[in-house]
Amino acid sequence: MEGGGNSKGTGLGGLFGAGGVGYSHADLAGVPLTGMSPLSPYLNLDPRYLVQDTDEFILPTGANKTRGRFELAFFTIGGCCMTGAAFGALNGLRLGLKETQNMTWSKPRNVQILNMVTRQGALWANTLGSLALLYSAFGVIIEKTRGAEDDLNTIAAGTMTGMLYKSTGGVRGIARGGIAGLTLTGLYALYNNWEHMKGSIARQSL
């Protein structure tokens, strides 16, 4: 009976592709585990082979692990348009309620508020979308020209975006736009590198 049971187990093992000898709980109970990972009594394999210590995805040769400016441009433009539309709609609702506060709730008042909401939403969506388009275009051009991706590209793209957007206001408009873009992108770069700066200051103080 025991021989038949062993042959049956061997046959099932060969059927499911188990090439190794099966171990029971009693067999593994006396095996010393010092300096090695315990073997699974169910799979008969070393669990260390199941641990992934490499990247989960295979990247093409020369590709970066992070998205470039061209890939992020679509997200930036779309996000700014949606943000502008939402902010403009809220601002239009505020202005519409303010301008029609002396009117009773009626169809003309609702139409006027709705017109204000749609007008302000479209205006802000167009404004922020245009700024995001200019910023992304300048960022991609500067990155391709310099052959590097760092905070200098961000600051330069923001400054040039502000200058071009306010170029219709003359020299003063260009200067104000450039200063505004430089300030905003400079603060953004400072925020991104704040943890790194704190670590550098802490190391220098030791």
Side-chain angles (χ1 to χ4, degrees), residues 67-84 128-137 188:
R67 296 180 179 179
R69 285 187 177 270
F70 183 77
E71 290 81 4
L72 292 176
F74 301 98
F75 170 78
T76 302
I77 297 172
C80 287
C81 287
M82 296 178 63
T83 303
L128 293 186
S130 300
L131 289 173
L133 177 62
L134 293 175
Y135 171 77
S136 300
Y188 176 76

Side-chain angles (χ1 to χ4, degrees), residues 197-206:
M197 294 175 60
K198 289 197 303 183
S200 301
I201 295 175
R203 286 192 299 267
Q204 293 177 0
S205 61
L206 294 179

